[in-house]
Amino acid sequence: MAAVTALLALSGPAFAQQQPAAPPSAPPMDYSKAEIKTVALGNNAYMLEGQGGNITVVVAKDGIILVDGQFAPLHDRIKAAVAATSSLPIKYLVNTHYHGDHSGGNEAFAKEGVTVVAQDNVKKRLMAGTTNGLTGVKTPPAPQGALPSDTYTNFSKIRLQGRVADLKHIPNAHSDGDTYVWFKTARVLATGDTFTNGRYPNIDFANGGNIKGMIAAADVYLKLTNARTKIVPGHGPVADKAALAEFRTMLVTARDRMAKLVKDGKTEDEAVALKPFADLDPKWAPDELASKNFIRVVYHSLADKPDSQPGLLKRIFRRN
């Protein structure tokens, strides 16, 4: 959490997901100015924008399901924003992955009786602590109370009266513990950071992320959604299927260009110097640092020797 907080203080909340962690000496983030904005999605579903990853709120007849919880200091403001949509209790909080701008609220919500759900690897990463692949900055293990109490491997469901949330794992995309959440009756898809609308994604290659898995995730989402679906990205405004398709096209372009550089034997620094995504930057990069970081994470996706990958992931890679 300390590393993530330092990261956001340096880069600003809007693009936190695509910047490297800042040195430990960076000033702490000022949460006092954070505002929570509610966006209605229809069908008694909402997106909350704040300081960190987007939150999805879906209201059932007997309770509420949240997808992601931002940072612990924002708990009261998030809870107030949820209460403005419904007086029903929050029953479940789903972590789309382990990063603190999405899972930081775990402990505070769990203390109130909310069941925190995540893919198995999220709990493992939070328990062990992690290292930023770009900077080497370490995030310490999370406290016991912040760990998900309900985990799954490949697929799970959350059922409340009038609502079903389908949770599915996307292997090795943004990280190794990504979950997307599909609310079929609400026509809402929550992707976490496997999709970021209008900006380059971070690919956490040091903790299982890979651009090939990101493309595989986009393929799954394009098959699942239609023109009426509201897509809640990890960061950025609410999206539709057309925005998702544009994101996938960018990923494929980046993968193909970087694959050639890697094949030609270019080093990471040489790849950065060549600026292979210069024509993509005006649309997807808010600044030069974001541009360079995306080059680096795509490079590592294709140049690093992969760990032993599950058979499912190998099949996904072959299809893409």
Side-chain angles (χ1 to χ4, degrees):
M1 177 65 70
V4 176
T5 302
L7 152 63
L8 291 179
L10 180 67
S11 64
F15 304 107
Q17 83 289 354
Q18 56 193 24
Q19 308 293 348
S25 59
M29 190 171 199
D30 181 6
Y31 294 103
S32 65
K33 298 179 181 179
E35 297 182 0
I36 307 297
K37 176 185 175 183
T38 301
V39 180
L41 305 177
N43 299 305
N44 225 1
Y46 307 86
M47 185 182 89
L48 304 183
E49 296 177 289
Q51 215 154 357
N54 292 326
I55 296 173
T56 306
V57 181
V58 175
V59 182
K61 294 179 180 179
D62 57 341
I64 296 170
I65 301 170
L66 294 188
V67 181
D68 288 330
Q70 295 188 5
F71 294 102
L74 302 178
H75 168 265
D76 291 350
R77 270 168 276 186
I78 292 168
K79 191 174 178 182
V82 173
T85 69
S86 171
S87 60
L88 290 169
I90 300 169
K91 295 288 189 71
Y92 293 93
L93 169 61
V94 180
N95 293 161
T96 59
H97 59 287
Y98 77 89
H99 289 152
D101 61 327
H102 294 255
S103 67
N106 283 5
E107 187 170 24
F109 281 107
K111 286 179 179 179
E112 297 173 342
V114 178
T115 299
V116 180
V117 185
Q119 202 273 340
D120 293 333
N121 290 330
V122 171
K123 186 172 184 177
K124 293 175 183 177
R125 295 290 182 187
L126 290 174
M127 287 179 66
T130 52
T131 300
N132 184 294
L134 290 176
T135 67
V137 171
K138 297 183 181 298
T139 298
Q144 182 66 33
L147 301 179
S149 57
D150 186 357
T151 62
Y152 76 99
T153 302
N154 296 315
F155 173 78
S156 186
K157 283 182 181 287
I158 296 174
R159 298 181 185 272
L160 293 178
Q161 291 183 24
R163 291 292 191 199
V164 176
D166 290 318
L167 282 59
K168 292 188 178 181
H169 175 47
I170 295 288
N172 299 83
H174 172 63
S175 68
D176 63 1
D178 298 309
T179 289
Y180 74 84
V181 187
W182 172 233
F183 298 94
K184 185 175 181 179
T185 59
R187 296 197 297 271
V188 170
L189 173 66
T191 68
D193 283 2
T194 57
F195 169 43
T196 51
N197 190 16
R199 62 200 67 184
Y200 288 135
N202 177 34
I203 301 172
D204 190 354
F205 62 88
N207 296 286
N210 193 292
I211 193 170
K212 297 176 183 178
M214 295 287 287
I215 295 168
D219 288 340
V220 170
Y221 304 154
L222 288 170
K223 291 179 181 178
L224 192 62
T225 57
N226 59 36
R228 297 186 299 167
T229 306
K230 299 296 178 62
I231 304 172
V232 178
H235 297 263
V238 176
D240 57 15
K241 188 171 184 176
L244 175 61
E246 189 176 7
F247 179 76
R248 183 195 184 277
T249 298
M250 178 273 294
L251 290 177
V252 171
T253 299
R255 178 199 61 188
D256 292 348
R257 291 180 184 177
M258 187 59 70
K260 184 178 186 306
L261 296 181
V262 171
K263 184 178 179 181
D264 290 345
K266 301 299 183 184
T267 66
E268 179 180 349
D269 287 341
E270 287 171 338
V272 171
L274 288 170
K275 299 182 178 181
F277 311 145
D279 58 322
L280 303 176
D281 287 347
K283 164 71 177 178
W284 301 98
D287 52 38
E288 185 178 3
L289 180 58
S291 173
K292 289 181 177 179
N293 284 347
F294 187 61
I295 294 169
R296 293 185 187 280
V297 297
V298 176
Y299 180 89
H300 281 281
S301 287
L302 301 176
D304 293 353
K305 291 183 179 179
D307 295 331
S308 178
Q309 302 286 2
L312 174 62
L313 182 58
K314 289 181 180 179
R315 292 195 296 271
I316 289 173
F317 284 4
R318 282 199 295 267
R319 289 200 301 268
N320 291 278

